[in-house]
mmCIF file with all atom_site columns, all heavy atoms in Angstrom:
data_model
loop_
_atom_site.group_PDB
_atom_site.id
_atom_site.type_symbol
_atom_site.label_atom_id
_atom_site.label_alt_id
_atom_site.label_comp_id
_atom_site.label_asym_id
_atom_site.label_entity_id
_atom_site.label_seq_id
_atom_site.pdbx_PDB_ins_code
_atom_site.Cartn_x
_atom_site.Cartn_y
_atom_site.Cartn_z
_atom_site.occupancy
_atom_site.B_iso_or_equiv
_atom_site.pdbx_formal_charge
_atom_site.auth_seq_id
_atom_site.auth_comp_id
_atom_site.auth_asym_id
_atom_site.auth_atom_id
_atom_site.pdbx_PDB_model_num
ATOM 1  N N   . VAL A 1 109 ? -1.497 9.396  -24.913 1.00 90.00 ? 1494 VAL A N   1
ATOM 2  C CA  . VAL A 1 109 ? -0.568 10.331 -24.280 1.00 90.00 ? 1494 VAL A CA  1
ATOM 3  C C   . VAL A 1 109 ? -0.489 10.190 -22.755 1.00 90.00 ? 1494 VAL A C   1
ATOM 4  O O   . VAL A 1 109 ? 0.579  10.287 -22.149 1.00 90.00 ? 1494 VAL A O   1
ATOM 5  C CB  . VAL A 1 109 ? -0.895 11.768 -24.695 1.00 90.00 ? 1494 VAL A CB  1
ATOM 6  C CG1 . VAL A 1 109 ? 0.025  12.821 -23.958 1.00 90.00 ? 1494 VAL A CG1 1
ATOM 7  C CG2 . VAL A 1 109 ? -0.680 11.957 -26.222 1.00 90.00 ? 1494 VAL A CG2 1
ATOM 8  N N   . LEU A 1 110 ? -1.616 9.935  -22.125 1.00 92.00 ? 1495 LEU A N   1
ATOM 9  C CA  . LEU A 1 110 ? -1.693 9.813  -20.703 1.00 92.00 ? 1495 LEU A CA  1
ATOM 10 C C   . LEU A 1 110 ? -0.887 8.602  -20.212 1.00 92.00 ? 1495 LEU A C   1
ATOM 11 O O   . LEU A 1 110 ? -0.187 8.635  -19.246 1.00 92.00 ? 1495 LEU A O   1
ATOM 12 C CB  . LEU A 1 110 ? -3.134 9.689  -20.222 1.00 92.00 ? 1495 LEU A CB  1
ATOM 13 C CG  . LEU A 1 110 ? -4.022 10.952 -20.361 1.00 92.00 ? 1495 LEU A CG  1
ATOM 14 C CD1 . LEU A 1 110 ? -5.429 10.692 -20.026 1.00 92.00 ? 1495 LEU A CD1 1
ATOM 15 C CD2 . LEU A 1 110 ? -3.386 12.058 -19.462 1.00 92.00 ? 1495 LEU A CD2 1
ATOM 16 N N   . SER A 1 111 ? -1.001 7.540  -21.002 1.00 92.00 ? 1496 SER A N   1
ATOM 17 C CA  . SER A 1 111 ? -0.248 6.295  -20.584 1.00 92.00 ? 1496 SER A CA  1
ATOM 18 C C   . SER A 1 111 ? 1.299  6.557  -20.770 1.00 92.00 ? 1496 SER A C   1
ATOM 19 O O   . SER A 1 111 ? 2.129  6.176  -19.864 1.00 92.00 ? 1496 SER A O   1
ATOM 20 C CB  . SER A 1 111 ? -0.657 5.072  -21.500 1.00 92.00 ? 1496 SER A CB  1
ATOM 21 O OG  . SER A 1 111 ? 0.086  3.925  -21.203 1.00 92.00 ? 1496 SER A OG  1
ATOM 22 N N   . GLU A 1 112 ? 1.711  7.216  -21.807 1.00 91.00 ? 1497 GLU A N   1
ATOM 23 C CA  . GLU A 1 112 ? 3.042  7.522  -21.988 1.00 91.00 ? 1497 GLU A CA  1
ATOM 24 C C   . GLU A 1 112 ? 3.614  8.487  -20.900 1.00 91.00 ? 1497 GLU A C   1
ATOM 25 O O   . GLU A 1 112 ? 4.722  8.284  -20.388 1.00 91.00 ? 1497 GLU A O   1
ATOM 26 C CB  . GLU A 1 112 ? 3.324  8.153  -23.388 1.00 91.00 ? 1497 GLU A CB  1
ATOM 27 C CG  . GLU A 1 112 ? 4.801  8.507  -23.652 1.00 91.00 ? 1497 GLU A CG  1
ATOM 28 C CD  . GLU A 1 112 ? 4.961  9.130  -24.988 1.00 91.00 ? 1497 GLU A CD  1
ATOM 29 O OE1 . GLU A 1 112 ? 3.992  9.223  -25.759 1.00 91.00 ? 1497 GLU A OE1 1
ATOM 30 O OE2 . GLU A 1 112 ? 6.173  9.562  -25.268 1.00 91.00 ? 1497 GLU A OE2 1
ATOM 31 N N   . PHE A 1 113 ? 2.812  9.410  -20.448 1.00 91.00 ? 1498 PHE A N   1
ATOM 32 C CA  . PHE A 1 113 ? 3.130  10.334 -19.464 1.00 91.00 ? 1498 PHE A CA  1
ATOM 33 C C   . PHE A 1 113 ? 3.391  9.623  -18.146 1.00 91.00 ? 1498 PHE A C   1
ATOM 34 O O   . PHE A 1 113 ? 4.359  9.857  -17.449 1.00 91.00 ? 1498 PHE A O   1
ATOM 35 C CB  . PHE A 1 113 ? 1.998  11.403 -19.297 1.00 91.00 ? 1498 PHE A CB  1
ATOM 36 C CG  . PHE A 1 113 ? 2.194  12.261 -18.092 1.00 91.00 ? 1498 PHE A CG  1
ATOM 37 C CD1 . PHE A 1 113 ? 3.153  13.228 -17.986 1.00 91.00 ? 1498 PHE A CD1 1
ATOM 38 C CD2 . PHE A 1 113 ? 1.400  12.094 -16.929 1.00 91.00 ? 1498 PHE A CD2 1
ATOM 39 C CE1 . PHE A 1 113 ? 3.340  14.039 -16.948 1.00 91.00 ? 1498 PHE A CE1 1
ATOM 40 C CE2 . PHE A 1 113 ? 1.489  12.865 -15.829 1.00 91.00 ? 1498 PHE A CE2 1
ATOM 41 C CZ  . PHE A 1 113 ? 2.479  13.875 -15.782 1.00 91.00 ? 1498 PHE A CZ  1
ATOM 42 N N   . ARG A 1 114 ? 2.495  8.695  -17.779 1.00 92.00 ? 1499 ARG A N   1
ATOM 43 C CA  . ARG A 1 114 ? 2.627  7.916  -16.528 1.00 92.00 ? 1499 ARG A CA  1
ATOM 44 C C   . ARG A 1 114 ? 3.903  7.082  -16.581 1.00 92.00 ? 1499 ARG A C   1
ATOM 45 O O   . ARG A 1 114 ? 4.667  6.967  -15.574 1.00 92.00 ? 1499 ARG A O   1
ATOM 46 C CB  . ARG A 1 114 ? 1.468  7.006  -16.303 1.00 92.00 ? 1499 ARG A CB  1
ATOM 47 C CG  . ARG A 1 114 ? 0.157  7.807  -15.934 1.00 92.00 ? 1499 ARG A CG  1
ATOM 48 C CD  . ARG A 1 114 ? -0.860 6.852  -15.420 1.00 92.00 ? 1499 ARG A CD  1
ATOM 49 N NE  . ARG A 1 114 ? -1.294 5.888  -16.430 1.00 92.00 ? 1499 ARG A NE  1
ATOM 50 C CZ  . ARG A 1 114 ? -2.249 6.031  -17.279 1.00 92.00 ? 1499 ARG A CZ  1
ATOM 51 N NH1 . ARG A 1 114 ? -2.992 7.160  -17.236 1.00 92.00 ? 1499 ARG A NH1 1
ATOM 52 N NH2 . ARG A 1 114 ? -2.535 5.069  -18.206 1.00 92.00 ? 1499 ARG A NH2 1
#
Side-chain angles (χ1 to χ4, degrees):
V1494 171
L1495 292 172
S1496 176
E1497 182 182 354
F1498 170 73
R1499 291 192 299 269

